[in-house]
Amino acid sequence: MIRANRILRADALSGAEIVDRVVLDSGDRHRRRVVMRGEGGLSFLLDLPEPAVLEDGDALVLSDGRLVWVEAAPERLLAIRAGSDHALKRLIWHIGNRHIPAEIAEDAVYIAHDHVLAEMVWGLGGTAEPVERPFRPEGGAYAGGHAQDGHAHGGHAQDGHAHGGHGHDSDHGHDHAHHHHHGHAHAHD
């Protein structure tokens, strides 16, 4: 089976031949080694030296020099907004306090669709509008690697971040309870 063992970042793409494309959600874009199948039917083994985040517009370099385009799949998200910068920062703090992946844009924060978090946002005076778009969560202080690397929580990849005393090294979702103190200050509204 042909292998892809290198990522060519979107800003470095040249005239090389793109032979297929893979459409991946945010969880599936954080990989090291997995068999992939392109939209055109090309099967190959992604075999990177270490886990990496595949960004929308990157290409995977096959062992024969051909390229497979990486496209971020649209995902069901919440676009969280607030009436002021201060109110949005406050919402970002509450979201971050829950250790969930978030993409911070100029005027909104995007998180995976979750009705409980939507209710929290509404209760804090914000809006949580369902949208479908590619998800590019922030990498966080412990993500390492590419400047825009995110960490996945969909049961597909390693977290790559620490939680004040414990790390995550296995494939799992991020719905587990934390039964220890993280040193977070909790606001009382």
Side-chain angles (χ1 to χ4, degrees):
M1 174 173 280
I2 194 161
R3 294 175 185 257
N5 57 14
R6 192 165 57 94
I7 301 169
L8 189 58
R9 296 297 178 187
D11 59 359
L13 286 176
S14 62
E17 179 187 3
I18 294 176
V19 295
D20 208 339
R21 70 184 174 110
V22 289
V23 181
L24 307 168
D25 68 22
S26 61
D28 285 337
R29 289 195 323 270
H30 188 211
R31 294 300 199 165
R32 188 191 80 73
R33 191 167 200 265
V34 65
V35 173
M36 293 187 153
R37 184 177 199 85
E39 296 291 307
L42 176 67
S43 290
F44 62 95
L45 175 65
L46 177 67
D47 191 14
L48 300 173
E50 58 188 36
V53 173
L54 307 173
E55 298 291 347
D56 187 44
D58 287 347
L60 301 171
V61 182
L62 298 174
S63 55
D64 63 6
R66 296 178 300 159
L67 301 178
V68 176
W69 183 266
V70 176
E71 184 177 324
E75 299 182 50
R76 190 170 176 227
L77 305 173
L78 290 174
I80 297 170
R81 293 184 171 85
S84 70
D85 283 345
H86 176 76
L88 185 59
K89 288 174 186 173
R90 187 169 174 252
L91 289 172
I92 291 170
W93 184 89
H94 282 280
I95 291 165
N97 196 37
R98 281 147 184 84
H99 299 285
I100 61 167
E103 177 183 347
I104 301 172
E106 186 68 29
D107 66 340
V109 177
Y110 296 93
I111 63 171
H113 192 280
D114 182 310
H115 73 281
V116 172
L117 291 175
E119 289 178 20
M120 176 199 76
V121 168
W122 296 324
L124 293 169
T127 63
E129 173 189 357
V131 296
E132 191 162 311
R133 63 183 286 283
F135 187 35
R136 298 172 187 95
E138 298 293 322
Y142 302 98
H146 188 253
Q148 295 293 319
D149 282 359
H151 60 273
H153 288 94
H156 300 290
Q158 294 177 344
D159 283 350
H161 67 280
H163 284 288
H166 73 280
H168 296 282
D169 293 330
S170 61
D171 292 344
H172 67 282
H174 202 74
D175 297 333
H176 59 276
H178 294 280
H179 299 292
H180 55 278
H181 181 63
H182 286 287
H184 299 297
H186 294 278
H188 298 286
D189 299 317

Tab-separated table of all heavy atoms in Angstrom, residues 42-79:
chain	number	residue	atom	x	y	z
A	42	LEU	N	-8.676	6.490	-3.969
A	42	LEU	CA	-7.287	6.138	-3.684
A	42	LEU	C	-7.133	5.763	-2.214
A	42	LEU	O	-7.472	6.539	-1.320
A	42	LEU	CB	-6.366	7.320	-4.001
A	42	LEU	CG	-4.887	7.125	-3.669
A	42	LEU	CD1	-4.277	6.058	-4.577
A	42	LEU	CD2	-4.129	8.431	-3.790
A	43	SER	N	-6.630	4.557	-1.953
A	43	SER	CA	-6.334	4.117	-0.583
A	43	SER	C	-4.849	4.285	-0.326
A	43	SER	O	-4.025	3.980	-1.195
A	43	SER	CB	-6.716	2.653	-0.380
A	43	SER	OG	-8.106	2.509	-0.388
A	44	PHE	N	-4.523	4.747	0.874
A	44	PHE	CA	-3.121	4.921	1.232
A	44	PHE	C	-2.993	4.877	2.749
A	44	PHE	O	-3.972	5.028	3.471
A	44	PHE	CB	-2.555	6.232	0.674
A	44	PHE	CG	-3.233	7.472	1.196
A	44	PHE	CD1	-2.718	8.168	2.277
A	44	PHE	CD2	-4.405	7.933	0.612
A	44	PHE	CE1	-3.349	9.298	2.765
A	44	PHE	CE2	-5.041	9.064	1.084
A	44	PHE	CZ	-4.514	9.759	2.162
A	45	LEU	N	-1.775	4.658	3.209
A	45	LEU	CA	-1.497	4.643	4.638
A	45	LEU	C	-0.862	5.973	5.017
A	45	LEU	O	0.213	6.312	4.520
A	45	LEU	CB	-0.539	3.499	5.002
A	45	LEU	CG	-0.090	3.454	6.471
A	45	LEU	CD1	-1.270	3.175	7.395
A	45	LEU	CD2	0.999	2.405	6.664
A	46	LEU	N	-1.536	6.726	5.865
A	46	LEU	CA	-0.924	7.911	6.458
A	46	LEU	C	0.018	7.385	7.526
A	46	LEU	O	-0.405	6.665	8.430
A	46	LEU	CB	-1.980	8.832	7.068
A	46	LEU	CG	-1.431	10.078	7.771
A	46	LEU	CD1	-0.784	11.013	6.761
A	46	LEU	CD2	-2.540	10.795	8.518
A	47	ASP	N	1.291	7.714	7.432
A	47	ASP	CA	2.306	7.172	8.331
A	47	ASP	C	3.285	8.283	8.685
A	47	ASP	O	4.412	8.322	8.191
A	47	ASP	CB	3.019	6.000	7.645
A	47	ASP	CG	3.888	5.212	8.598
A	47	ASP	OD1	3.750	5.374	9.821
A	47	ASP	OD2	4.725	4.413	8.106
A	48	LEU	N	2.834	9.193	9.549
A	48	LEU	CA	3.654	10.340	9.948
A	48	LEU	C	4.562	9.959	11.111
A	48	LEU	O	4.218	9.085	11.914
A	48	LEU	CB	2.754	11.506	10.351
A	48	LEU	CG	1.808	12.034	9.268
A	48	LEU	CD1	0.858	13.080	9.845
A	48	LEU	CD2	2.594	12.594	8.097
A	49	PRO	N	5.703	10.609	11.263
A	49	PRO	CA	6.611	10.291	12.362
A	49	PRO	C	6.033	10.633	13.736
A	49	PRO	O	6.425	10.046	14.739
A	49	PRO	CB	7.858	11.118	12.068
A	49	PRO	CG	7.496	12.077	11.003
A	49	PRO	CD	6.254	11.597	10.337
A	50	GLU	N	5.111	11.595	13.786
A	50	GLU	CA	4.464	11.967	15.053
A	50	GLU	C	3.074	12.514	14.734
A	50	GLU	O	2.803	12.927	13.611
A	50	GLU	CB	5.289	13.004	15.810
A	50	GLU	CG	5.532	14.270	15.033
A	50	GLU	CD	6.520	15.184	15.747
A	50	GLU	OE1	7.460	14.673	16.374
A	50	GLU	OE2	6.334	16.399	15.651
A	51	PRO	N	2.160	12.527	15.724
A	51	PRO	CA	0.824	13.057	15.471
A	51	PRO	C	0.895	14.507	15.008
A	51	PRO	O	1.740	15.279	15.469
A	51	PRO	CB	0.125	12.961	16.826
A	51	PRO	CG	0.885	11.928	17.584
A	51	PRO	CD	2.304	12.042	17.104
A	52	ALA	N	0.024	14.856	14.083
A	52	ALA	CA	-0.007	16.216	13.550
A	52	ALA	C	-1.441	16.576	13.192
A	52	ALA	O	-2.276	15.699	12.971
A	52	ALA	CB	0.879	16.326	12.314
A	53	VAL	N	-1.705	17.861	13.127
A	53	VAL	CA	-3.012	18.336	12.698
A	53	VAL	C	-2.931	18.665	11.217
A	53	VAL	O	-2.067	19.431	10.785
A	53	VAL	CB	-3.460	19.571	13.506
A	53	VAL	CG1	-4.754	20.151	12.933
A	53	VAL	CG2	-3.658	19.190	14.965
A	54	LEU	N	-3.819	18.073	10.470
A	54	LEU	CA	-3.929	18.339	9.040
A	54	LEU	C	-4.898	19.498	8.880
A	54	LEU	O	-6.058	19.402	9.273
A	54	LEU	CB	-4.458	17.101	8.307
A	54	LEU	CG	-3.686	15.805	8.569
A	54	LEU	CD1	-4.414	14.621	7.925
A	54	LEU	CD2	-2.271	15.926	8.064
A	55	GLU	N	-4.420	20.592	8.326
A	55	GLU	CA	-5.253	21.786	8.160
A	55	GLU	C	-5.925	21.784	6.793
A	55	GLU	O	-5.414	21.208	5.834
A	55	GLU	CB	-4.395	23.052	8.312
A	55	GLU	CG	-3.752	23.213	9.667
A	55	GLU	CD	-4.730	23.515	10.787
A	55	GLU	OE1	-5.900	23.848	10.508
A	55	GLU	OE2	-4.316	23.423	11.950
A	56	ASP	N	-7.052	22.452	6.716
A	56	ASP	CA	-7.765	22.643	5.465
A	56	ASP	C	-6.810	23.275	4.445
A	56	ASP	O	-6.198	24.301	4.720
A	56	ASP	CB	-8.968	23.551	5.718
A	56	ASP	CG	-9.882	23.674	4.521
A	56	ASP	OD1	-10.172	22.647	3.878
A	56	ASP	OD2	-10.325	24.800	4.229
A	57	GLY	N	-6.647	22.641	3.299
A	57	GLY	CA	-5.759	23.169	2.259
A	57	GLY	C	-4.368	22.572	2.254
A	57	GLY	O	-3.592	22.806	1.327
A	58	ASP	N	-4.010	21.791	3.277
A	58	ASP	CA	-2.729	21.090	3.275
A	58	ASP	C	-2.787	19.952	2.268
A	58	ASP	O	-3.850	19.616	1.740
A	58	ASP	CB	-2.424	20.490	4.656
A	58	ASP	CG	-2.045	21.519	5.701
A	58	ASP	OD1	-1.779	22.680	5.337
A	58	ASP	OD2	-2.031	21.159	6.892
A	59	ALA	N	-1.653	19.338	2.025
A	59	ALA	CA	-1.607	18.153	1.164
A	59	ALA	C	-0.745	17.094	1.839
A	59	ALA	O	0.227	17.414	2.528
A	59	ALA	CB	-1.051	18.498	-0.209
A	60	LEU	N	-1.106	15.841	1.627
A	60	LEU	CA	-0.309	14.711	2.093
A	60	LEU	C	0.560	14.269	0.927
A	60	LEU	O	0.070	14.093	-0.196
A	60	LEU	CB	-1.221	13.575	2.552
A	60	LEU	CG	-2.169	13.955	3.688
A	60	LEU	CD1	-3.176	12.842	3.938
A	60	LEU	CD2	-1.386	14.270	4.949
A	61	VAL	N	1.847	14.099	1.197
A	61	VAL	CA	2.797	13.730	0.152
A	61	VAL	C	2.919	12.211	0.133
A	61	VAL	O	3.363	11.601	1.114
A	61	VAL	CB	4.171	14.390	0.382
A	61	VAL	CG1	5.122	14.020	-0.741
A	61	VAL	CG2	4.033	15.900	0.524
A	62	LEU	N	2.521	11.618	-0.988
A	62	LEU	CA	2.637	10.176	-1.156
A	62	LEU	C	4.090	9.815	-1.468
A	62	LEU	O	4.863	10.657	-1.930
A	62	LEU	CB	1.724	9.702	-2.290
A	62	LEU	CG	0.227	9.948	-2.070
A	62	LEU	CD1	-0.560	9.564	-3.317
A	62	LEU	CD2	-0.281	9.196	-0.854
A	63	SER	N	4.461	8.561	-1.234
A	63	SER	CA	5.847	8.136	-1.424
A	63	SER	C	6.321	8.309	-2.869
A	63	SER	O	7.520	8.403	-3.112
A	63	SER	CB	6.028	6.683	-0.972
A	63	SER	OG	5.112	5.842	-1.647
A	64	ASP	N	5.404	8.404	-3.837
A	64	ASP	CA	5.805	8.618	-5.231
A	64	ASP	C	5.778	10.101	-5.622
A	64	ASP	O	5.951	10.448	-6.783
A	64	ASP	CB	4.937	7.795	-6.185
A	64	ASP	CG	3.463	8.177	-6.149
A	64	ASP	OD1	3.101	9.175	-5.471
A	64	ASP	OD2	2.661	7.476	-6.794
A	65	GLY	N	5.547	10.993	-4.641
A	65	GLY	CA	5.591	12.423	-4.887
A	65	GLY	C	4.252	13.065	-5.203
A	65	GLY	O	4.129	14.286	-5.200
A	66	ARG	N	3.235	12.260	-5.491
A	66	ARG	CA	1.913	12.823	-5.758
A	66	ARG	C	1.320	13.353	-4.457
A	66	ARG	O	1.774	13.016	-3.366
A	66	ARG	CB	0.993	11.779	-6.374
A	66	ARG	CG	1.456	11.294	-7.733
A	66	ARG	CD	0.542	10.221	-8.287
A	66	ARG	NE	0.499	9.069	-7.380
A	66	ARG	CZ	-0.476	8.151	-7.363
A	66	ARG	NH1	-1.482	8.227	-8.211
A	66	ARG	NH2	-0.428	7.143	-6.510
A	67	LEU	N	0.288	14.185	-4.590
A	67	LEU	CA	-0.319	14.817	-3.421
A	67	LEU	C	-1.790	14.447	-3.275
A	67	LEU	O	-2.509	14.297	-4.269
A	67	LEU	CB	-0.223	16.341	-3.526
A	67	LEU	CG	1.170	16.944	-3.650
A	67	LEU	CD1	1.074	18.455	-3.792
A	67	LEU	CD2	2.034	16.571	-2.458
A	68	VAL	N	-2.209	14.339	-2.026
A	68	VAL	CA	-3.627	14.166	-1.681
A	68	VAL	C	-4.034	15.407	-0.895
A	68	VAL	O	-3.456	15.710	0.148
A	68	VAL	CB	-3.868	12.886	-0.852
A	68	VAL	CG1	-5.327	12.788	-0.424
A	68	VAL	CG2	-3.449	11.644	-1.646
A	69	TRP	N	-5.000	16.129	-1.419
A	69	TRP	CA	-5.502	17.370	-0.835
A	69	TRP	C	-6.282	17.074	0.436
A	69	TRP	O	-7.049	16.110	0.501
A	69	TRP	CB	-6.409	18.025	-1.869
A	69	TRP	CG	-6.974	19.347	-1.502
A	69	TRP	CD1	-8.191	19.576	-0.914
A	69	TRP	CD2	-6.383	20.625	-1.691
A	69	TRP	NE1	-8.383	20.922	-0.739
A	69	TRP	CE2	-7.282	21.590	-1.209
A	69	TRP	CE3	-5.172	21.042	-2.227
A	69	TRP	CZ2	-7.009	22.948	-1.246
A	69	TRP	CZ3	-4.908	22.386	-2.268
A	69	TRP	CH2	-5.823	23.313	-1.778
A	70	VAL	N	-6.110	17.899	1.467
A	70	VAL	CA	-6.861	17.772	2.720
A	70	VAL	C	-7.913	18.872	2.752
A	70	VAL	O	-7.591	20.054	2.597
A	70	VAL	CB	-5.934	17.891	3.950
A	70	VAL	CG1	-6.746	17.857	5.239
A	70	VAL	CG2	-4.879	16.785	3.945
A	71	GLU	N	-9.150	18.467	2.978
A	71	GLU	CA	-10.253	19.420	3.062
A	71	GLU	C	-10.974	19.232	4.391
A	71	GLU	O	-11.278	18.101	4.782
A	71	GLU	CB	-11.224	19.182	1.902
A	71	GLU	CG	-12.352	20.167	1.820
A	71	GLU	CD	-13.233	19.920	0.613
A	71	GLU	OE1	-12.710	19.531	-0.456
A	71	GLU	OE2	-14.451	20.121	0.736
A	72	ALA	N	-11.218	20.332	5.083
A	72	ALA	CA	-11.942	20.278	6.354
A	72	ALA	C	-13.425	20.078	6.078
A	72	ALA	O	-14.027	20.841	5.331
A	72	ALA	CB	-11.721	21.559	7.147
A	73	ALA	N	-14.001	19.053	6.667
A	73	ALA	CA	-15.425	18.761	6.484
A	73	ALA	C	-16.268	19.728	7.312
A	73	ALA	O	-15.882	20.093	8.424
A	73	ALA	CB	-15.720	17.329	6.923
A	74	PRO	N	-17.414	20.121	6.799
A	74	PRO	CA	-18.325	20.921	7.622
A	74	PRO	C	-18.801	20.083	8.812
A	74	PRO	O	-19.010	18.876	8.689
A	74	PRO	CB	-19.495	21.224	6.673
A	74	PRO	CG	-18.973	20.976	5.303
A	74	PRO	CD	-17.911	19.926	5.444
A	75	GLU	N	-18.919	20.743	9.962
A	75	GLU	CA	-19.381	20.081	11.182
A	75	GLU	C	-20.505	20.884	11.807
A	75	GLU	O	-20.616	22.087	11.598
A	75	GLU	CB	-18.228	19.947	12.177
A	75	GLU	CG	-17.082	19.109	11.648
A	75	GLU	CD	-15.965	18.950	12.664
A	75	GLU	OE1	-16.261	18.578	13.824
A	75	GLU	OE2	-14.811	19.205	12.299
A	76	ARG	N	-21.311	20.230	12.600
A	76	ARG	CA	-22.404	20.890	13.307
A	76	ARG	C	-21.822	21.581	14.544
A	76	ARG	O	-21.345	20.922	15.467
A	76	ARG	CB	-23.452	19.859	13.706
A	76	ARG	CG	-24.715	20.446	14.216
A	76	ARG	CD	-25.776	19.378	14.358
A	76	ARG	NE	-26.953	19.973	14.937
A	76	ARG	CZ	-27.630	19.448	15.933
A	76	ARG	NH1	-27.272	18.280	16.446
A	76	ARG	NH2	-28.685	20.066	16.414
A	77	LEU	N	-21.867	22.923	14.533
A	77	LEU	CA	-21.249	23.724	15.585
A	77	LEU	C	-22.248	24.725	16.147
A	77	LEU	O	-23.331	24.910	15.605
A	77	LEU	CB	-20.049	24.494	15.022
A	77	LEU	CG	-18.961	23.695	14.321
A	77	LEU	CD1	-17.944	24.626	13.681
A	77	LEU	CD2	-18.291	22.748	15.295
A	78	LEU	N	-21.831	25.383	17.208
A	78	LEU	CA	-22.538	26.546	17.752
A	78	LEU	C	-21.644	27.758	17.544
A	78	LEU	O	-20.463	27.725	17.896
A	78	LEU	CB	-22.820	26.389	19.242
A	78	LEU	CG	-23.861	25.349	19.637
A	78	LEU	CD1	-23.903	25.211	21.164
A	78	LEU	CD2	-25.232	25.705	19.089
A	79	ALA	N	-22.214	28.823	16.983
A	79	ALA	CA	-21.520	30.111	16.881
A	79	ALA	C	-21.991	30.928	18.074
A	79	ALA	O	-23.157	31.302	18.173
A	79	ALA	CB	-21.866	30.806	15.577
